[in-house]
Amino acid sequence: MFRTEVCDLLGIDYPIIQGGMAWVSDAYLAVAVSEAGALGVIAAGHIQEPEELRREIQRAKELTSRPFGVNLMLMNPLVPRFVDLVLEEGVPVVTTGAGNPGKFISRLRDAGVKVMPVVASVALAKRVEREGAHAVVVEGTEAGGHIGELTTMALVPQVVDAVSIPVIAAGGIADGRGFLAALALGAHGVQMGTRFVASTECRVHENWKRAYLRARDRDTVVTGRPTGHPVRIIRNRLAREFLKLEQQGAPLEEYEKLGVGALRRAAMEGDVKTGSVMAGQIVGLVREVKPVREIVREIVAQAKGELERLQSLVGG
Ligand code: TUI
């Protein structure tokens, strides 16, 4: 059901990709998602020691024979080393984020790796297509973490019209309705982060998951805009401190000081007051922590139900 060219490209059953979230997406989450018939992705964004990424990749290979991916957060200075490692370990899929993956695409592609950069604009989507990307993940500003400016609703169809490679929609998608809506916009699949964090298999601190369950529609805010790296997080003490800096017109070093270690503090220590609890706007829709397999099954079933409802609107 809902098989698209993204399924054939990646060797998966459902065109659903798990976002590669620094400090959150480890091998265990990725394996659970891949075993459920979607594509699990190990994050490398937070990793400061290449052998740690190798261990995560090897763990995933031991635990599943299904395809999985590695996400390269391009602001991490170790990315060139991670690219070597991904090639050595035979990782089948790479997603990238927070920058232009230009120079890495052809090397990965030539080695048979499927490359899917995350982009937030038509210009970068066209550019990575030219450089050989197999598909593009188009992320709207509804997403959690580091974001662009355009909404998923506005950006996805514009990218669909501008490129010939498959488009995967991200940002603001957490259930079957969002999945179906993305397909209606011309996407061939979706990427979800927030929804998969609230899963049994995700090893992020329990306080983080509880913060998600408490959050309502207006409980995320964008911090750090003046730095050029806006980040969507759950509204908390840290968020208020960031917004205060903005009001004061504080120098950029102050943002750096406040931000350093904040994601680790929330994800590993469970400090959801002064830590950075990244979350998408859709977090208000997340009401329950459940197994990844159920999340995937429910999304597909709900999308089918909603599609039938829509069909009855035109058929009746
Ligand atoms: O990368 C993400 N989400 C992230 S990365 C991250 S770690 C981080 N923490 C603090 C500050 C900054 C990063 C947390 N969440 N999503 C994919 C994504 N990529 N969203 C937006 C972009 C993007 C933005 C601009 C990609 C390319 C781009 O263009 C840069 C260029 O050079 O053209």
Side-chain angles (χ1 to χ4, degrees):
M1 215 186 299
F2 296 110
R3 278 199 71 90
T4 69
E5 56 194 283
V6 166
C7 298
D8 300 323
L9 174 71
L10 303 175
I12 55 179
D13 300 332
Y14 307 109
I16 299 174
I17 323 289
Q18 168 238 315
M21 299 164 283
W23 289 109
V24 175
S25 310
D26 63 4
Y28 295 104
L29 179 60
V31 165
V33 174
S34 288
E35 283 289 308
L39 187 84
V41 176
I42 296 169
H46 59 294
I47 293 181
Q48 290 172 20
E49 158 57 50
E51 288 309 306
E52 188 187 333
L53 178 60
R54 191 189 303 280
R55 281 195 294 278
E56 288 297 313
I57 294 169
Q58 289 181 344
R59 183 172 289 147
K61 288 199 290 192
E62 277 163 25
L63 295 174
T64 186
S65 55
R66 290 178 184 256
F68 65 91
V70 166
N71 174 262
L72 301 176
M73 201 282 284
L74 295 164
M75 285 159 57
N76 185 324
L78 289 175
V79 165
R81 183 70 197 94
F82 291 162
V83 170
D84 295 339
L85 214 144
V86 157
L87 295 176
E88 285 161 24
E89 294 295 329
V91 172
V93 183
V94 162
T95 64
T96 68
N100 178 1
K103 52 183 184 256
F104 305 113
I105 297 178
S106 60
R107 240 188 107 211
L108 290 162
R109 188 187 171 99
D110 290 350
V113 182
K114 301 291 189 282
V115 187
M116 307 197 299
V118 180
V119 303
S121 68
V122 169
L124 192 56
K126 286 168 76 166
R127 184 157 176 184
V128 297
E129 176 182 44
R130 237 180 7 251
E131 289 165 335
H134 294 85
V136 71
V137 180
V138 173
E139 190 182 273
T141 195
E142 300 93 320
H146 175 48
I147 49 170
E149 287 186 9
L150 295 164
T151 61
T152 302
M153 181 78 103
L155 183 58
V156 169
Q158 295 190 66
V159 175
V160 166
D161 283 353
V163 301
S164 308
I165 51 178
V167 166
I168 294 157
I173 301 165
D175 68 4
R177 293 169 298 183
F179 174 54
L180 189 66
L183 298 183
L185 292 175
H188 295 83
V190 296
Q191 177 182 280
M192 302 190 303
T194 300
R195 178 61 270 197
F196 283 127
V197 176
S199 67
T200 320
E201 293 90 340
C202 179
R203 295 189 168 206
V204 78
H205 198 284
E206 285 300 317
N207 290 353
W208 179 304
K209 294 186 191 178
R210 279 195 278 269
Y212 270 22
L213 297 181
R214 279 196 302 271
R216 298 285 181 261
D217 56 344
R218 300 199 304 154
D219 286 342
T220 72
V221 284
V222 180
T223 60
R225 280 199 196 276
T227 68
H229 300 292
V231 174
R232 183 179 302 284
I233 66 175
I234 298 236
R235 197 191 289 280
N236 62 3
R237 195 182 305 160
L238 175 74
R240 283 189 289 277
E241 294 288 328
F242 268 121
L243 298 179
K244 207 188 299 168
L245 291 184
E246 252 174 81
Q247 279 161 5
Q248 294 165 347
L252 298 186
E253 304 86 73
E254 296 289 321
Y255 291 83
E256 171 76 23
K257 245 193 273 170
L258 196 56
V260 79
L263 182 55
R264 193 197 62 79
R265 211 157 55 237
M268 306 300 284
E269 293 169 20
D271 179 355
V272 297
K273 292 197 169 73
T274 78
S276 172
V277 186
M278 296 182 183
Q281 286 186 335
I282 207 72
V283 69
L285 205 63
V286 175
R287 296 271 73 103
E288 218 183 328
V289 174
K290 54 178 95 171
V292 162
R293 197 176 288 280
E294 281 179 33
I295 292 173
V296 171
R297 206 170 33 203
E298 279 177 14
I299 286 171
V300 173
Q302 188 184 24
K304 180 168 181 285
E306 289 298 315
L307 180 57
E308 285 164 358
R309 185 176 63 79
L310 294 178
Q311 276 163 338
S312 78
L313 293 180
V314 286

